Amino acid sequence: MRKGPLLRKRAHTATGADQVLPPWLRAQSINVTRHAAALRPFKREEFGSGPAAPSEGHIQVVNQLITKLRRGLLKMSEQVHDSIAIASEKPTSLRLQTVVTRKDKAHRWVQGIEKIWDFYFELFGQRQGKYGDWLLSCDRIAMDCYQAAYTGLGVARSVPAPPPFCYMKTGFAPATIRRGVPLRKLGKQFNPFPLVQLPYHRLVNPWTLGAVMHEVSHNLQSDLGLNKDLPRQLGLRLLKGDLGRFVSSVWVRWNREMFADMSALLLGGPEVVGSLMDVIGRAPRAVVSFNRRGPHPTPYLRLLISAEMLRRMGFKTEAEQYARAWTRIYPNPSAGTIPKKVMATFPRACALAVDTMCYQPFPSLGNKSLSEVIRFEKKDQKMIEESARRVAAGVDPGIIPERYLIGAARIALNKRMARPGVITKNFYMELVRR
């Protein structure tokens, strides 16, 4: 019996599928294998051999993350290979759909690992370019901040590792990503070490890098175990001071950003306030606008909080100078949206908040206060002032801590001890040399 046209067409189609499917299935097996092989751990030498290259510790923890995820991909790859082998023997629709379903699952896993791989590849790759020395310099400042905090504790704590890692990204303001925080860009995987994000315009003007100490201080608050104790003690202190629930809740919401400002002042001294003014000195409307959900103190009040901290640190003259300059720029805060209760209670609330954060003991600090753990006195400022002259002249500033060089650069700029380009060159040259 002769086959009809429809049967002949189906037979022809089946024969055509037999020509396409075997090589296609083989290609899927190869693709999955090569995907897994390509997402391999990093090697330190591929990002340069100089001191600016990522440390062995940074490479190791990222590789541990990639290796852990890669194990899952390899298991999925085996499942894809098994389903391909079965489908190759007898390519039924059901078996072929099992292949593409497992392949799709493996592909999504590949995309997730690629995001993580690309993220760290870009960060580490920045160290190979001409900005590597700048980022290395900021790493050393961040490391110095950690060393100052941990050596001043009243009790031994486990030493966090790896240290903070700085990278450059376009944008208006610096930022940080804390250790152990799940990142959306990493597929909710935990970030293995503190990241400090710095805009190019900050790096090119090193006297504005007080932001490094601010961002590192966010990480110190977490690593030192102050995330819960500090806002709890702050809220209780303000409530006991009869400041009311609303005002107390506002200051508690500000605790992380305020802590970072206070800690940065203890780490770097009065010149850090100049760096803060660089950030928050904006159009009047923005400076006196109150954000009911924002974590930052309202800019107008934020500078005055730092002035109060300077006063407590013993720098009364500098505190008054900054406060007067600030209120001359912004003489009418009532034109903004700061609640009347917040403004009326500000002097007392500010004093209590500064005292609670920086001058009261915390168990996690070994029953020391933050100002006892990180000490900054007038003798430290004298060191910074002397180093300013040396940085301007291109002379070895000596044993001054790395973090103090930011204040030295700012003093050199403000007092016109050298051209901005010379100060920048000497600043980075000294930090790279160490």
Side-chain angles (χ1 to χ4, degrees), residues 50-224:
S55 73
E56 194 64 41
H58 290 110
I59 295 289
Q60 284 177 0
V61 293
V62 170
N63 281 346
Q64 287 169 8
L65 176 59
I66 291 172
T67 301
K68 182 184 75 172
L69 296 172
R70 196 162 171 260
R71 286 194 200 104
L73 176 59
L74 290 172
K75 288 181 180 178
M76 290 183 189
S77 299
E78 290 176 6
Q79 293 174 355
V80 174
H81 295 321
D82 291 344
S83 61
I84 288 173
I86 294 170
S88 297
E89 291 178 0
K90 188 176 181 181
T92 65
S93 294
L94 183 62
R95 290 182 176 184
L96 291 170
Q97 286 176 6
T98 300
V99 170
V100 293
T101 299
R102 289 181 176 178
K103 173 201 151 188
D104 189 46
K105 185 178 179 181
H107 183 66
R108 288 197 300 271
W109 196 266
V110 166
Q111 288 179 313
I113 302 176
E114 277 183 344
K115 281 184 179 180
I116 296 168
W117 198 89
D118 286 347
F119 178 75
Y120 288 108
F121 183 78
E122 181 183 345
L123 258 60
F124 292 161
Q126 287 185 357
R127 301 307 180 96
Q128 293 177 286
K130 62 180 180 178
Y131 305 116
D133 286 348
W134 290 7
L135 296 170
L136 170 65
S137 299
C138 293
D139 285 350
R140 289 181 170 166
I141 291 168
M143 173 77 87
D144 183 39
C145 293
Y146 259 80
Q147 289 171 340
Y150 272 77
T151 55
L153 291 172
V155 63
R157 292 185 64 94
S158 178
V159 179
F165 189 86
C166 298
Y167 70 103
M168 182 170 61
K169 187 173 181 180
T170 56
F172 175 73
T176 191
I177 304 171
R178 289 177 285 123
R179 188 194 320 271
V181 171
L183 291 183
R184 185 176 301 171
K185 63 182 70 177
L186 299 183
K188 295 294 184 179
Q189 296 295 322
F190 293 107
N191 179 47
F193 47 81
L195 291 169
V196 177
Q197 174 186 307
L198 298 168
Y200 174 75
H201 66 266
R202 291 303 181 93
L203 290 164
V204 82
N205 298 312
W207 43 86
T208 69
L209 288 175
V212 174
M213 291 177 279
H214 174 97
E215 301 304 338
V216 168
S217 294
H218 280 305
N219 293 282
L220 283 172
Q221 184 177 357
S222 296
D223 285 344
L224 291 175

